[in-house]
Amino acid sequence: MYRKILKTIKKYDTIVIARHIGVDPDALCSQLALRDVIRLNFPEKKVIAVGTGSQKFAHIGKLDKLEKVHDALLIVTDTPDKKRVDSVDFSQFSYVIKIDHHPFVESFGGIELIDDQASSACEVIMKFLVHTKLLLNPQISEWLYMGLVSDSNRFLFDSSTPELFALVSYFLQKYPFSLSQCYQKLYLRPLNEVRLEGYIALNMKVTDHGLGYVSITNDVILEYGVDSASAGNMINNFNFIKEVLVWVTMTEDVKNNQIRVSIRSRGPVINHVAEKYHGGGHKFASGARVPTMDEAMKIIDDLEKVLIDYQKEEMTNGN
Ligand code: AMP
């Protein structure tokens, strides 16, 4: 599979790299890293990384302007379904490669390199780079680490295997960069965001079955002076609360006239609930976009049922 991908990359003079809407560090870093790897190894090719940028991640790296292409290869990273690919029209491309770590949703019609056990799309790309022995540089190595460390929430999950640490170690040794600077780029945030975190902690409702949920309305977003994307991304900071097994933020996004629902779990699998509401994601980290807070509350009701079943099962198993 790795050889086949490399052969396909070699075949095309123009390559566009895309990823999912609602950019996050793994999506952004995987496309930037892959773009620069191809540019470094094949300087004669035209390679661009496209998608809607975000002010929050602008300092991580610059995306390219989307332009009309002819006989081009499309590589999509970190995205399992066509409807969530940002900015590109599939019909413009001669061939498509998908590189992803989400559970399979649909085929894009070309090569599909998917490892749904991987921590991140960046990890999948790192393995591809090790196998193909393509030349890298410290910036590429830093991007890949950044995406991986962000999606694994700093190695908190079971995807952090000995093999993953060996892979990271290989990149750090071969193409070193400053870890402290990398973490600053990822985690430095304005005081307003920390204050909003305080709001979430104070206002999170917790059910007897361990479901924590909070709505972040536009009034709250304005009061704290943050944007709705930053507010929605705070979900990852609420892991390891003893009384909470599944937690949800419901963030109003007036610009897109929708509610962004983000769901995380330390126990029950929750992606099927997100899928019921036309969302999706991983077993323990999923999301959906719904039109109203009332619709978002239906997700809360469904998750409560999932927790009740989960706890019954745990009792039966003697846990
Ligand atoms: P979020 O909570 O938005 O950070 O998303 C967590 C995970 O769920 C990510 O892997 C997303 O790709 C996925 N996800 C979020 N929203 C949607 C959606 N509307 N449709 C499909 N997958 C989603």
Side-chain angles (χ1 to χ4, degrees):
M1 176 83 84
Y2 295 131
R3 291 270 136 216
K4 220 167 128 190
I5 291 177
L6 184 58
K7 228 171 114 184
T8 310
I9 288 173
K10 283 181 178 166
K11 204 172 129 190
Y12 286 90
D13 294 331
T14 307
I15 301 172
V16 175
I17 306 178
R19 42 79 189 154
H20 62 72
I21 49 174
V23 64
D24 61 29
D26 187 35
L28 178 65
C29 291
S30 60
Q31 68 172 163
L32 293 174
L34 197 57
R35 177 195 68 186
D36 278 23
V37 167
I38 303 173
R39 283 181 180 170
L40 188 66
N41 289 270
F42 307 101
E44 70 289 354
K45 291 187 192 296
K46 179 181 179 62
V47 196
I48 56 173
V50 301
T52 315
S54 142
Q55 198 52 39
K56 189 171 167 61
F57 303 128
H59 60 285
I60 290 179
K62 219 170 145 357
L63 289 162
D64 305 296
K65 235 176 102 190
L66 182 61
E67 45 189 283
K68 235 183 156 41
V69 289
H70 173 70
D71 193 25
L73 169 67
L74 173 66
I75 305 180
V76 180
T77 66
D78 200 30
T79 318
D81 48 351
K82 281 187 179 176
K83 73 171 191 311
R84 296 200 79 229
V85 179
D86 193 348
S87 300
V88 294
D89 169 8
F90 276 66
S91 68
Q92 262 198 22
F93 294 89
S94 304
Y95 198 76
V96 186
I97 295 174
K98 182 204 284 179
I99 302 181
D100 192 22
H101 76 124
H102 288 87
F104 178 81
V105 175
E106 65 175 328
S107 164
F108 291 177
I111 302 172
E112 309 253 314
L113 175 60
I114 303 168
D115 178 359
D116 64 8
Q117 303 299 309
S119 62
S120 53
C122 283
E123 177 187 341
V124 182
I125 292 174
M126 284 160 104
K127 285 185 182 149
F128 164 72
L129 296 174
V130 170
H131 278 87
T132 49
K133 300 192 172 63
L134 288 165
L135 191 65
L136 311 191
N137 62 30
Q139 171 63 83
I140 295 166
S141 178
E142 185 190 37
W143 274 328
L144 291 167
Y145 182 80
M146 227 185 246
L148 187 159
V149 96
S150 172
D151 248 36
S152 69
N153 215 348
R154 279 170 280 176
F155 303 101
L156 283 186
F157 311 126
D158 290 336
S159 56
S160 301
T161 58
E163 291 75 29
L164 183 72
F165 285 109
L167 189 68
V168 166
S169 166
Y170 172 85
F171 276 76
L172 280 172
Q173 275 178 28
K174 214 153 177 232
Y175 297 101
F177 55 88
S178 159
L179 276 182
S180 60
Q181 280 175 29
C182 169
Y183 287 125
Q184 290 232 22
K185 286 179 203 165
L186 263 184
Y187 296 117
L188 200 68
R189 61 226 167 108
L191 184 58
N192 282 0
E193 284 189 17
V194 183
R195 292 202 161 121
L196 179 63
E197 242 177 77
Y199 172 89
I200 295 173
L202 283 172
N203 290 281
M204 182 184 277
K205 295 195 176 78
V206 181
T207 70
D208 290 344
H209 298 285
L211 176 64
Y213 62 98
V214 63
S215 61
I216 307 168
T217 60
N218 194 49
D219 288 347
V220 173
I221 288 169
L222 293 176
E223 184 187 335
Y224 284 86
V226 296
D227 61 48
S228 82
S230 314
N233 285 336
M234 279 180 194
I235 181 110
N236 294 321
N237 299 347
F238 289 86
N239 211 333
F240 300 118
I241 300 173
K242 214 170 172 183
E243 293 82 356
V244 175
L245 260 186
V246 173
W247 61 108
V248 183
T249 53
M250 302 174 286
T251 311
E252 197 174 359
D253 173 2
V254 274
K255 211 167 104 195
N256 295 303
N257 199 20
Q258 61 185 11
I259 310 295
R260 172 180 170 183
V261 182
S262 289
I263 314 165
R264 300 292 184 270
S265 170
R266 278 194 298 114
V269 170
I270 39 87
N271 54 350
H272 57 96
V273 176
E275 281 160 18
K276 184 175 160 193
Y277 294 87
H278 311 293
H282 307 278
K283 277 193 210 163
F284 305 115
S286 294
R289 306 286 180 270
V290 294
T292 60
M293 278 290 177
D294 284 348
E295 189 77 358
M297 285 308 294
K298 288 186 191 159
I299 300 183
I300 299 298
D301 291 343
D302 283 359
L303 288 169
E304 180 75 347
K305 285 182 200 133
V306 167
L307 268 164
I308 291 169
D309 288 346
Y310 177 80
Q311 281 165 358
K312 269 190 204 147
E313 212 170 293
E314 288 285 285
M315 294 247 281
T316 316
N317 295 337
N319 292 331

